[in-house]
Amino acid sequence: MIYKSLLKPLLFQLQPETAHHFTFNTLKILFKIPFAKAIAASIFCIEDKKLEREVFGLKFKNPVGLAAGLDKDAKLYDELSAFGFGFIEIGTVTPVAQAGNEKPRMFRLPFDNALINRMGFNNEGVVAVANRLRKRNKNVIIGGNIGKNKITSNENAISDYEICFNVLFDVVDYFVVNVSSPNTPGLRALQDKEPLTNLLNHLQHLNHQKVKPKPILLKIAPDLTNEQLDEIIEIVITTKLAGIVATNTTVSRENLKTEKNIVETCGAGGLSGKPLTTRSTEVIKYIANKSDKKFAIIGVGGIHSPADAIEKLNAGADLIQLYTGFIYEGPSLAKMICKELINMK
């Protein structure tokens, strides 16, 4: 495969964030060539009725999505849709543009097929993102992942989420409330019962004032205990959310193959990729069983192969998302998963 044998070794010579911007800029240029998107789609996209899913009132052409974080500012969602994704989640976006944490803030752990990032919700602000999405191709399902600015206190967090919700409402198909990133100080405290219930009730109140409400989901950390997961399930049911995205990155550094001193050099941040595979699946299975599947689950975390994807779906996920697996395995991963799902039917 060209990606693994040629492109990936070259890209991995660059710093992760540099490689990301280089790839985005290159794709932007290439896709301006006439028929480039059609050619890419013919290579990477599979259309088959067996792949279609109807989840929280939306019809997905396939269950494989791109997770938030890769296209934070909605700059490449149309091009990325040509790589076989059934939906794309942009963000996390905040009301006001912010630079994020100091660089370097993303690190590869190749021996673990993993990444560590402490990006810190770097984005151009919700208005800039919404303006790009107004020109979007309506054939692509877009999720809007929303958060709070770093300087906003948790006491005032609701207003940040409200701003993002209102500005994005007309240009996305569903929302994901991100209170689980480890890279914004104090953010995970919003997963506690009282602040989380207040936040979600407020967003649902705004939602139901609209002519046609949008599905709202909650993205959770993989580091929650079963007792905390029980609380989350209760809150999601009580606030009548459409579902849960399980899971975000982990702060755990257990069972890594990479030498401990190298991991420590990377410093703080969320770990994603293969080391997260088992834990995210455990969380999905626990939520699905405990909730009696009363709401939808989007499974994300350590999906690097069709087998990983099927494991997530069998555990109770209705849809899945790729991020680190897409970087390590390449642009054909979504297609490989879809082919395997067709063969299973």
Side-chain angles (χ1 to χ4, degrees):
M1 183 182 167
I2 293 174
Y3 178 78
K4 280 197 166 183
S5 61
L6 181 62
L7 296 178
K8 181 180 162 186
L10 290 173
L11 289 170
F12 274 41
Q13 293 297 310
L14 303 173
Q15 289 292 323
E17 210 168 336
T18 304
H20 172 85
H21 292 304
F22 173 78
T23 304
F24 262 46
N25 291 335
T26 302
L27 286 173
K28 205 73 179 169
I29 292 166
L30 288 175
F31 274 72
K32 286 179 179 173
I33 299 170
F35 308 113
K37 185 184 176 186
I39 292 167
S42 70
I43 296 169
F44 296 108
C45 294
I46 297 178
E47 302 281 341
D48 194 300
K49 287 282 185 186
K50 294 176 184 175
L51 294 171
E52 291 178 1
R53 302 284 191 279
E54 188 158 332
V55 186
F56 42 77
L58 298 175
K59 190 172 183 180
F60 296 80
K61 65 180 181 182
N62 73 61
V64 187
L66 182 67
L70 201 73
D71 190 15
K72 288 175 180 286
D73 290 309
K75 289 182 174 178
L76 209 71
Y77 57 89
D78 198 38
E79 291 86 347
L80 287 166
S81 69
F83 293 105
F85 293 110
F87 60 109
I88 289 175
E89 197 171 301
I90 59 90
T92 299
V93 297
T94 56
V96 179
Q98 58 182 26
N101 295 321
E102 287 185 16
K103 299 177 182 178
R105 53 195 180 180
M106 181 173 278
F107 309 87
R108 299 186 194 95
L109 304 181
F111 289 113
D112 290 288
N113 286 297
L115 297 171
I116 291 174
N117 93 80
R118 52 172 175 274
M119 302 300 286
F121 288 174
N122 57 306
N123 73 107
E124 295 179 4
V126 69
V127 173
V129 171
N131 287 338
R132 289 193 188 101
L133 289 171
R134 283 194 181 90
K135 307 163 191 169
R136 76 182 179 95
N137 177 353
K138 295 292 184 182
N139 292 327
V140 183
I141 290 179
I142 300 286
N145 189 300
I146 58 176
K148 78 172 187 74
N149 281 111
K150 184 177 181 177
I151 61 169
T152 303
S153 68
N154 280 5
E155 289 73 27
N156 297 318
I158 284 180
S159 64
D160 274 20
Y161 287 93
E162 177 176 341
I163 290 166
C164 292
F165 179 82
N166 284 330
V167 174
L168 284 181
F169 189 85
D170 292 328
V171 293
V172 300
D173 299 296
Y174 71 89
F175 284 93
V176 175
V177 178
N178 189 352
V179 291
S180 53
S181 169
N183 302 318
T184 295
L187 184 74
R188 285 188 169 192
L190 292 175
Q191 291 179 120
D192 292 345
K193 187 172 185 178
E194 186 178 351
L196 185 58
T197 303
N198 291 340
L199 170 60
L200 297 177
N201 272 331
H202 184 71
L203 290 176
Q204 283 288 52
H205 173 71
L206 296 173
N207 199 23
H208 290 292
Q209 288 180 330
K210 307 288 187 181
V211 175
K212 190 177 180 184
K214 299 272 172 81
I216 301 177
L217 293 89
L218 174 70
K219 190 164 190 174
I220 63 168
D223 309 307
L224 299 172
T225 64
N226 285 350
E227 291 74 20
Q228 289 172 313
L229 288 174
D230 289 341
E231 268 191 3
I232 294 284
I233 291 165
E234 181 188 334
I235 291 166
V236 169
I237 292 171
T238 302
T239 58
K240 296 182 171 62
L241 284 202
I244 284 176
V245 180
T247 62
N248 213 318
T249 57
T250 180
V251 295
S252 171
R253 300 291 188 264
E254 291 180 10
N255 303 317
L256 294 177
K257 297 171 188 172
T258 305
E259 291 180 21
K260 190 176 180 183
N261 65 307
I262 294 174
V263 176
E264 287 174 351
T265 302
C266 296
L271 177 77
S272 62
K274 283 298 285 181
L276 194 53
T277 305
T278 301
R279 178 55 187 161
S280 65
T281 304
E282 287 172 355
V283 171
I284 291 163
K285 191 168 188 176
Y286 186 88
I287 292 169
N289 290 339
K290 275 280 187 168
S291 67
D292 293 323
K293 285 294 287 161
K294 287 189 172 73
F295 47 77
I297 300 171
I298 299 180
V300 55
I303 300 173
H304 286 241
S305 68
D308 294 334
I310 289 162
E311 187 177 52
K312 291 277 191 288
L313 294 166
N314 287 342
D318 301 278
L319 304 165
I320 56 169
Q321 290 178 327
L322 310 179
Y323 181 96
T324 307
F326 185 60
I327 292 166
Y328 273 91
E329 307 303 326
S332 62
L333 182 56
K335 178 183 179 180
M336 289 164 56
I337 294 168
C338 287
K339 282 178 73 174
E340 190 65 30
L341 291 174
I342 291 168
N343 292 336
M344 286 176 62
K345 292 289 183 176

